[in-house]
């Protein structure tokens, strides 16, 4: 079964510099290598799903500059349909300024540009792509009105709606009621619930609180600790895959793409989380956003090695 995934979200050009450490406020430090790479949470998740074997369509906005063409070329290279990525003559393509330290941790500032001009009208124009999808992927780097409209269209056509609430902001009840699976990380969970997420007990309480906001299923990603799957009356901590991290940029997007494709292929929620964990782990072993997103064969190989080692 080929998984059909549509992504409504952002496209950014990432401007990445490596440093020994993240600078403190007001501090200037010298970096080492610099490079540019296609990014944006929406485009990252689209490419992640495509590399996992999904048939993927992207809905979004870019400017009319050189960065826009590079981003579209990147989608084409991974087989992502960009028929519904509009070129905006009045706004620049989104960019993200990313600092990555020697431990693989990052600090990111985003200038959204054309992303924040995506409208419900743009979403309606892409209804055919959303209607054809098994899964709709959403994030919060485009306006909430466009996100909500996309969820409404997907629900009307029977697609599973997944929201990665990043960057986190308060979510209206009308949007939450349309979400089938919510995939936040720890900091996003803390912002959405106003609860601490320090230890395992606090994380479990916060995850349950997210479900009580009106979402059927919550998958709380925990980095090197794995992910907590919370369904009605059930919680399961699914462990991470051990790797040596180089750069954590886009690891969450790799998780979402892997999870979405596995779910669209008919796998259980727990199995889909395992696929997401494997994809996210592999993404941390390479520098950059989209360049780090793994192919399906690499994810399958990692899962097979771990499974064989557990026998």
């Amino acid at each position: 079964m080929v998984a059909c995934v549509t992504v409504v979200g952002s496209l950014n050009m990432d401007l990445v510099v490596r440093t020994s450490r993240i600078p403190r406020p007001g501090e200037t430090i010298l970096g080492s290598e610099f490079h540019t790479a296609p990014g944006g949470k929406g485009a990252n998740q689209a490419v992640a799903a495509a590399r996992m074997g999904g048939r993927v369509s992207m809905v979004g906005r870019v400017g009319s500059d050189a960065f826009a063409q590079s981003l579209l070329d990147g989608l084409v290279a991974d087989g992502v349909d960009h028929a519904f990525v509009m070129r905006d003559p009045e706004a620049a393509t989104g960019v993200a300024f990313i600092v990555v330290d020697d431990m693989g941790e990052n600090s990111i500032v985003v200038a959204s540009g054309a992303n924040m001009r995506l409208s419900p009208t743009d979403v309606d124009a892409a209804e055919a792509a959303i209607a054809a999808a098994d899964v709709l992927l959403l994030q919060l780097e485009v306006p909430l009105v466009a996100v909500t409209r996309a969820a409404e269209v997907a629900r009307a056509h029977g697609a599973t709606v997944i929201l990665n609430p990043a960057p986190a902001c308060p979510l209206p009840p009308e949007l939450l009621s349309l979400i089938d699976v919510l995939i936040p990380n720890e900091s996003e969970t803390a912002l959405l619930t106003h609860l601490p997420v320090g230890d395992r007990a606090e994380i479990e309480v916060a995850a349950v609180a997210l479900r009580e906001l009106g979402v059927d299923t919550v998958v709380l990603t925990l980095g090197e600790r794995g992910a907590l799957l919370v369904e009605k009356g059930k919680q399961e901590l699914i462990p991470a895959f051990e790797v040596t991290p180089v750069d954590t940029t886009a690891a969450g997007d790799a998780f979402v793409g892997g999870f979405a494709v596995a779910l669209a292929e008919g796998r259980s929620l727990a199995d889909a989380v395992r696929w997401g964990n494997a994809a996210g782990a592999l993404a941390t072993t390479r520098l950059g956003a989209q360049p780090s997103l793994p192919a399906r064969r690499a994810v399958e190989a990692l899962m097979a090695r771990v499974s064989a080692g557990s026998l």
Side-chain angles (χ1 to χ4, degrees):
M1 172 183 177
V2 177
C4 293
V5 177
T6 294
V7 182
V8 176
S10 58
L11 303 95
N12 293 323
M13 182 59 74
D14 290 347
L15 312 177
V16 185
V17 61
R18 289 197 68 95
T19 66
S20 59
R21 58 182 175 81
I22 306 296
R24 295 184 293 270
E27 180 184 24
T28 299
I29 63 175
L30 294 178
S32 54
E33 67 262 35
F34 167 80
H35 72 275
T36 62
K41 294 195 71 64
N44 291 347
Q45 291 176 18
V47 170
R51 291 183 186 172
M52 288 293 292
R55 183 183 297 128
V56 183
S57 294
M58 179 77 210
V59 180
R61 272 187 180 257
V62 293
S64 297
D65 46 37
F67 283 160
Q69 190 59 53
S70 293
L71 293 177
L72 295 178
D73 289 346
L75 295 180
V76 170
D78 279 291
V80 176
D81 182 358
H82 64 78
F84 297 105
V85 177
M86 278 62 73
R87 285 180 177 263
D88 192 321
E90 298 180 6
T93 298
V95 294
F97 303 89
I98 304 174
V99 178
V100 183
D101 69 16
D102 287 343
M103 300 300 292
E105 294 300 320
N106 62 61
S107 179
I108 304 174
V109 176
V110 175
S112 298
N115 290 306
M116 293 310 293
R117 290 164 60 88
L118 188 71
S119 70
T121 301
D122 296 331
V123 172
D124 286 340
E127 182 172 2
I130 298 173
D134 301 305
V135 169
L136 173 71
L137 291 183
L138 301 168
Q139 321 78 34
L140 299 177
E141 289 186 336
V142 297
L144 269 178
V145 289
V147 172
T148 302
R149 180 58 187 153
E152 290 172 346
V153 174
R155 267 296 178 91
H157 290 284
T160 297
V161 182
I162 298 175
L163 173 63
N164 174 216
C169 67
L171 299 177
E174 57 268 27
L175 173 57
L176 287 166
S177 68
L178 298 167
I179 304 305
D180 296 298
V181 184
L182 187 70
I183 308 182
N185 63 19
E186 292 164 89
S187 62
E188 292 151 5
T189 297
L191 188 147
L192 292 171
T193 63
H194 306 290
L195 292 172
V197 290
D199 57 26
R200 170 71 182 273
E202 290 177 342
I203 288 169
E204 290 179 351
V205 169
V208 170
L210 283 175
R211 276 202 76 252
E212 291 172 349
L213 293 176
V215 179
D216 286 341
T217 302
V218 172
V219 179
L220 202 167
T221 57
L222 302 169
E224 64 185 13
R225 290 179 288 174
L228 181 67
L229 171 61
V230 182
E231 305 173 72
K232 184 177 181 180
K234 178 183 177 182
Q235 293 189 8
E236 182 179 0
L237 180 62
I238 299 172
F241 292 80
E242 289 189 19
V243 295
T244 301
V246 173
D247 176 12
T248 58
T249 304
D253 297 328
F255 177 99
V256 173
F259 174 90
V261 169
L263 195 65
E265 289 177 347
R267 302 177 194 276
S268 69
L269 283 163
D271 280 345
V273 171
R274 292 184 185 94
W275 281 77
N277 278 347
L282 287 172
T284 70
T285 64
R286 295 184 61 190
L287 185 65
Q290 288 178 29
S292 75
L293 300 171
R296 184 185 184 105
R297 61 182 178 275
V299 172
E300 291 176 332
L302 175 59
M303 296 179 72
R305 284 200 306 273
V306 171
S307 179
S310 67
L311 295 177

